[in-house]
Amino acid sequence: MTSKNKAKFKDAISKKAASEPVKEIPPEPFSKIEAIDAPDVGVEINGSTTPLAEVTPEVELKSNDDALVIVTVPKAFQLRLDAHKVVSIKVGVQKMALNIANHWYSKVNGVEIFNG
Amino acid sequence: MKNTIINKSVRMAFRDNGMMTYDGSGRTTDSAGNQLGKPFGNRYTMHDGRTCDSTGAFLVGELERLDPTLHEPLAAVTWGRDIDLREDVTIADEISSFTLSTYGSQGSLGTGNSIGNGKAWIGKSTDQMTGIGLDLAKIPHPMTPWGMELKYTILELESAARLGRPIDQQKFEGLQLKHQMDVDEMVYIGDTSLGLTGLVNNSLVSNVSNFANGASGFATWATKSPDEILTDFNNAITSVWSASGWAVMPDRILIPPTQFGYISTAKVSNAGNVSILKYVQDNNLLTTSGRGKLDIFPLKWLIGSGVGGTVGTVGTVDRMAVYTKDKKRVRYPMTILQRTPIQYDSIYHKATYFCRLGAVEAVYPETMGYFDGL
């Protein structure tokens, strides 16, 4: 089929589609859908028989506030957290939990998150 | 009957310039709100345009009652309430200092040093006796000379005597107020140019932290419940008490005036008729442990004196200061105000008032604590 014929064929199809009404396809009843069974815990997967529940995740999932960020602390200070626990922050470049780095008292004490 | 015709210049003089009238549109106060009085006119105006007024000579109308009471500028000082004076210093002293002793003692041989161990036990035939180690540190602070000259001319004195408003007395009261305000500032925040700190920003105090956020998510007292405010008070007391090795429980707390007003006014609950302040005074750690009354006072110098705040600026980081008012813990060295004999120099009478002002001596800085963000 040449490129000229292709264009004619496309035009014909588009005109036909525009003139014909849209057919509604009824949904398939649930009885016809086949359920897929999930593998049981302890079933051999890729040659391992270790129960899935006991697998230690390689990456510990944390909320965003607990994420560690690199900060610069210009001077040592004490920070009282919401549970009245006092944390001593030492001077220097260090890793710090994001919620501590973003605390208003950390900011007024000059704590800056490294954005390199 | 014909109306009397008065020359325009005479009418203007009668209305605005020459006579004492009540419809004058002339300036009676300057941009700072100072009362200028009635101007004498151009012939008497000095180079600065205000000298005649500043001498205190005013035109008084026949139906005007001038109150002869002297009204001084509004000013309040509180340093005498919050600190004890060290009185042994003299005008000859350039430094005020004190010593701080540290003891050290290890247990006898083999007893260890942990809690429950380390006693100085000896045996019947011991030939190795333990002893006491002593370190004496001297902590000096400068005693800076302070002085102001008081002077007035014979002409000023004569004018003031005629008016019945003593210029010498007023100038002296102004000088005394300036002295008191300078001492107040030295006691509470020290001096920036001399690098000295005071009672509420002492550089030796290491127990500095913020207040914990309340249930509202904020640390300010306006957003906290009475229980949370009481917790803040008790945490502050416990923190200082703990830092002193549980030896000294602080008995005085200073807070900014706004927060003091809030806890004095707000009730503990809708059902109760007790203010938060009263509730705190009855239920704080010092009182409940039977060690006396906790003094809570408002202090203007705490406005904005927290970390990141600007002193005196409302809406920045405010501070609570916790300490023990005891000359053995914290004190202020200064000498009394003295003056030279009056010097007669040309038409001037002069006298110089002088003293020495020291810096706040935090003998035991661990008995003090600062808490920011209330």
Side-chain angles (χ1 to χ4, degrees), chain B residues 320-333:
Chain B
M320 170 196 279
V322 183
Y323 68 104
T324 304
K325 182 179 176 286
D326 186 347
K327 195 191 281 190
K328 283 186 271 182
R329 317 289 178 214
V330 60
R331 61 204 184 189
Y332 185 67

Side-chain angles (χ1 to χ4, degrees), chain A residues 38-46 48-57:
Chain A
D40 293 332
V41 174
V43 170
E44 186 177 337
I45 301 172
N46 296 335
S48 168
T49 54
T50 310
L52 290 179
E54 293 180 15
V55 174
T56 308

Side-chain angles (χ1 to χ4, degrees), chain B residues 284-300:
Chain B
N284 68 79
L285 207 57
L286 184 81
T287 306
T288 53
S289 64
R291 300 187 186 210
K293 181 173 167 286
L294 179 68
D295 292 325
I296 304 170
F297 291 118
L299 179 66
K300 67 179 178 183

Side-chain angles (χ1 to χ4, degrees), chain B residues 162-305:
Chain B
R162 175 76 66 85
L163 291 167
R165 299 186 194 101
I167 188 174
D168 50 344
Q169 184 195 334
Q170 282 198 72
K171 278 195 171 183
F172 178 61
E173 284 173 5
L175 183 145
Q176 279 186 314
L177 182 58
K178 166 71 174 160
H179 174 252
Q180 288 292 309
M181 289 172 75
D182 283 2
V183 174
D184 204 52
E185 188 166 349
M186 279 302 296
V187 164
Y188 289 115
I189 63 167
D191 186 81
T192 307
S193 60
L194 295 180
L196 300 173
T197 52
L199 188 63
V200 302
N201 65 345
N202 202 284
S203 56
L204 296 175
V205 176
S206 58
N207 191 357
V208 184
S209 68
N210 60 306
F211 280 117
N213 290 338
S216 65
F218 297 98
T220 52
W221 281 1
T223 62
K224 282 186 173 177
S225 68
D227 276 337
E228 287 173 338
I229 293 174
L230 177 66
T231 304
D232 284 346
F233 271 98
N234 282 338
N235 272 338
I237 294 171
T238 307
S239 177
V240 175
W241 188 23
S242 163
S244 71
W246 308 104
V248 180
M249 194 183 279
D251 62 6
R252 182 165 295 223
I253 292 182
L254 304 176
I255 56 177
T258 307
Q259 284 81 343
F260 185 83
Y262 174 70
I263 64 170
S264 302
T265 311
K267 291 187 175 64
V268 172
S269 71
N270 290 332
N273 58 356
V274 174
S275 68
I276 298 175
L277 178 63
K278 178 72 177 160
Y279 179 64
V280 168
Q281 281 176 331
D282 289 344
N283 296 285
N284 68 79
L285 207 57
L286 184 81
T287 306
T288 53
S289 64
R291 300 187 186 210
K293 181 173 167 286
L294 179 68
D295 292 325
I296 304 170
F297 291 118
L299 179 66
K300 67 179 178 183
W301 294 103
L302 291 167
I303 300 170
S305 64

Side-chain angles (χ1 to χ4, degrees), chain B residues 152-169:
Chain B
Y152 25 80
T153 65
I154 297 170
L155 305 175
E156 285 175 333
L157 273 177
E158 289 293 333
S159 296
R162 175 76 66 85
L163 291 167
R165 299 186 194 101
I167 188 174
D168 50 344
Q169 184 195 334

Side-chain angles (χ1 to χ4, degrees), chain B residues 13-80:
Chain B
F14 176 79
R15 199 185 72 197
D16 290 335
N17 301 326
M19 308 291 184
M20 191 67 175
T21 60
Y22 299 98
D23 62 346
S25 59
R27 203 164 58 110
T28 55
T29 57
D30 66 5
S31 59
N34 296 316
Q35 292 289 336
L36 297 180
K38 188 71 178 175
F40 280 145
N42 292 336
R43 281 187 301 166
Y44 301 102
T45 304
M46 301 298 181
H47 66 280
D48 60 358
R50 294 180 53 187
T51 304
C52 278
D53 281 336
S54 298
T55 58
F58 304 104
L59 286 179
V60 181
E62 287 184 281
L63 296 177
E64 180 179 342
R65 178 68 62 191
L66 180 65
D67 181 4
T69 311
L70 299 176
H71 295 102
E72 296 180 327
L74 288 177
V77 293
T78 53
W79 63 272

